[in-house]
């Protein structure tokens, strides 16, 4: 098997590297971490540059407005943008990595035409309205109700941990359209809707995290009317559509961060050599093991991206293997950073401390590690479900 890059792929890398070299120095200064309107504008500006240059939606199919690039070109893009220190998707991550791919896979032609181009251009930002106070890991226990009234659904309930809700235009929203009963198990009766965030009855209350940021929010819904035309998939078929969304979230949404962690690991090794910590053989072994682990995760990323291409663009359950391993590797990376940096890692105004605090959330976000282990056990290993 020939694993070398083709000439076309080498040319793609060279063009991208040249474009990044010209474009990145022209970017404005990054706004304050607490300035979410400013961060949205910054992220949208970067996305528009990608769109104009032909690099937006590389991993999306052509009929969804994407560029139809090969999996290898997609991975080259991630490698080069991360190596150059280019902005990541930021406030656009739900639209670009979750909602957009879901609509591309499950939406009608009219829905694709309405929602996908603005996402690719950076014109519209999405948030995710899945989790509720009583339905986090057990997402199927959600209670937000949607009652059909003519051509609308009337929605009442609340959501929590809604990323970027305060600056979002749209929300990928899960609602219950049929109550749970003996005849209707809780995984059924759920519907996936696209809700405009400026609809009457929507209230957003930001939540401040342990790191001091406010990228999450509570969202309260008081008889919010959403057109039936905004439903993606059939009524009561939302759980299946949600599995498509979660496969993107777990399978391909973190790939850029693996590259970032590998770069961070290199910085740690250089710092350890400079401050004398490299003399500790236990620390060296730990850094070496992490190097091997993130190298393996990158190979798994390559496999997952290729597998998703072969299956029509939707990642499979292998994404849960990646999510489980990556979450724990990231936490160990920043635990190791604390060993290398010592007291400097505790400065709350420093990047290392904030990244370490952020790493603690990764075993919860996008499905807890316990949930991922169940998925791996049942859907990959074929083990029986617990009773």
């Amino acid at each position: 098997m020939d694993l070398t890059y083709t000439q076309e792929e080498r040319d793609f890398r060279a063009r991208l590297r040249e474009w990044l070299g010209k474009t990145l120095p022209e970017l404005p200064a990054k706004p304050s971490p607490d300035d979410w309107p400013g961060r949205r504008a910054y992220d949208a500006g970067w996305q528009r540059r990608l769109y104009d240059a032909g690099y937006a939606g590389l991993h999306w199919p052509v009929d969804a407005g994407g560029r139809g690039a090969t999996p290898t070109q997609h991975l080259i893009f991630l490698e080069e943008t991360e190596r150059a220190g280019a902005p990541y998707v930021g406030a656009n991550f739900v639209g670009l990595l979750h909602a957009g791919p879901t609509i591309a896979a499950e939406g009608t032609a009219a829905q694709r035409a309405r929602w996908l181009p603005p996402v690719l251009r950076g014109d519209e930002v999405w948030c995710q309205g899945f989790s509720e106070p009583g339905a986090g890991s057990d997402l199927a226990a959600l209670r937000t109700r949607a009652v059909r009234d003519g051509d609308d659904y009337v929605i009442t309930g609340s959501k929590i941990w809604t990323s970027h809700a305060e600056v979002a235009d749209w929300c990928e929203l899960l609602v219950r359209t049929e109550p749970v009963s003996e005849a209707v198990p809780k995984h059924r009766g759920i519907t996936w809707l696209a809700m405009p965030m400026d609809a009457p009855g929507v209230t957003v209350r930001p939540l401040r995290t342990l790191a001091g940021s406010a990228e999450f929010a509570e969202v309260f819904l008081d008889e919010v009317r959403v057109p039936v035309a905004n439903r993606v998939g059939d009524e009561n078929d939302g759980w299946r559509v949600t599995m498509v969304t979660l496969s993107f979230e777990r399978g391909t949404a973190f790939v850029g961060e693996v590259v970032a962690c590998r770069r961070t690991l290199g910085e740690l090794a250089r710092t350890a050599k400079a401050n004398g910590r490299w003399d500790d053989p236990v620390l060296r072994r730990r850094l070496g093991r992490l190097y091997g682990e993130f190298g393996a995760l990158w190979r798994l990323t390559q496999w997952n991206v290729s597998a998703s291409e072969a299956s029509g663009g939707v990642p499979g359950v292998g994404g849960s293997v990646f999510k489980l391993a990556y979450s724990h590797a990231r936490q160990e990376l920043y635990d190791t950073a604390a060993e290398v940096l010592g007291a400097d890692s505790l400065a709350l105004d420093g990047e290392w401390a904030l990244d370490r605090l952020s790493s603690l959330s990764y075993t919860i976000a996008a499905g807890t590690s316990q949930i991922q282990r169940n998925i791996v056990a049942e859907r990959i290993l074929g083990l029986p479900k617990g009773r």
Side-chain angles (χ1 to χ4, degrees):
M1 181 182 295
D2 184 6
L3 297 179
T4 60
Y5 292 110
T6 66
Q7 185 61 48
E8 180 182 3
E9 290 162 350
R10 288 194 292 269
D11 291 344
F12 175 82
R13 186 188 295 274
R15 289 194 304 271
L16 174 59
R17 190 173 290 182
E18 181 182 7
W19 180 80
L20 289 168
K22 293 178 179 178
T23 304
L24 293 180
E26 300 173 352
L27 295 181
K30 289 185 178 180
S32 164
D34 290 330
D35 178 11
W36 278 106
R39 290 179 67 175
R40 172 189 165 139
Y42 181 88
D43 295 336
W46 171 245
Q47 185 62 30
R48 184 62 194 228
R49 289 173 185 262
L50 290 173
Y51 181 85
D52 291 342
Y55 293 118
L58 288 177
H59 59 300
W60 287 20
V62 173
D63 60 0
R67 306 302 178 183
T70 67
T72 301
Q73 288 174 325
H74 179 206
L75 291 168
I76 289 172
F77 172 82
L78 293 169
E79 287 178 337
E80 291 299 323
T81 51
E82 186 57 46
R83 183 178 290 116
Y88 194 46
V89 290
N92 296 307
F93 88 91
V94 173
L96 287 166
L97 305 180
H98 304 173
T102 301
I103 294 169
E106 298 290 335
T108 64
Q111 289 171 339
R112 291 183 183 190
R114 166 59 189 88
W115 286 312
L116 299 186
V119 169
L120 290 176
R121 292 193 301 264
D123 294 340
E124 292 181 345
V125 170
W126 285 65
C127 61
Q128 186 181 78
F130 282 15
S131 296
E132 298 181 7
S137 296
D138 186 12
L139 183 59
L142 67 90
R143 301 178 65 179
T144 294
R145 288 292 311 277
V147 178
R148 181 77 176 261
D149 181 23
D151 292 332
D152 292 333
Y153 289 107
V154 180
I155 303 169
T156 300
S158 66
K159 298 291 178 176
I160 199 168
W161 310 125
T162 308
S163 301
H164 308 317
E166 65 272 32
V167 294
D169 304 292
W170 292 90
C171 177
E172 52 172 359
L173 184 71
L174 292 186
V175 296
R176 184 164 295 285
T177 41
E178 192 167 343
V180 176
S181 66
E182 291 186 5
V184 182
K186 63 183 181 180
H187 288 80
R188 300 179 187 172
I190 292 173
T191 299
W192 200 108
L193 300 176
M195 181 185 72
M197 290 297 289
D198 61 355
V202 177
T203 301
V204 176
R205 295 180 185 171
L207 295 168
R208 192 160 295 278
T209 70
L210 182 66
S213 60
E215 66 264 31
F216 299 117
E218 294 178 285
V219 178
F220 298 91
L221 309 170
D222 183 12
E223 296 189 350
V224 178
R225 301 188 76 91
V226 173
V228 173
N230 288 18
R231 186 185 68 219
V232 175
D234 294 333
E235 184 170 299
N236 299 329
D237 191 33
W239 187 254
R240 183 190 63 80
V241 179
T242 301
M243 292 303 100
V244 174
T245 305
L246 294 179
S247 71
F248 284 113
E249 184 176 25
R250 296 164 183 167
T252 56
F254 290 111
V255 291
E257 297 190 35
V258 174
V259 182
C261 285
R262 296 177 77 187
R263 185 183 66 186
T264 297
L265 187 59
E267 294 175 3
L268 278 181
R270 288 188 291 272
T271 301
K273 292 175 181 178
N275 68 10
R277 293 289 291 140
W278 188 256
D279 296 334
D280 182 347
V282 175
L283 178 63
R284 287 202 309 273
R285 283 196 295 270
R286 191 171 185 182
L287 289 170
R289 185 168 55 78
L290 281 169
Y291 180 84
E293 191 158 352
F294 279 108
L297 280 168
W298 181 244
R299 294 306 180 193
L300 180 57
T301 292
Q302 293 174 313
W303 187 89
N304 282 339
V305 170
S306 298
S308 94
E309 183 76 10
S311 63
V314 178
V317 292
S320 289
V321 177
F322 170 83
K323 168 61 173 59
L324 179 62
Y326 171 70
S327 298
H328 291 271
R330 184 184 177 97
Q331 287 189 0
E332 186 173 356
L333 172 64
Y334 284 99
D335 285 346
T336 305
E339 290 187 38
V340 172
L341 299 171
D344 289 343
S345 69
L346 302 177
L348 291 179
D349 57 347
E351 181 180 352
W352 288 104
L354 295 178
D355 284 344
R356 189 183 188 196
L357 290 173
S358 174
S359 75
L360 300 176
S361 70
Y362 277 73
T363 50
I364 300 173
T368 66
S369 292
Q370 291 82 356
I371 292 294
Q372 305 311 318
R373 290 190 180 98
N374 283 343
I375 292 173
V376 170
E378 295 168 6
R379 302 185 193 176
I380 297 179
L381 301 179
L383 299 179
K385 293 185 177 182
R387 297 185 179 181

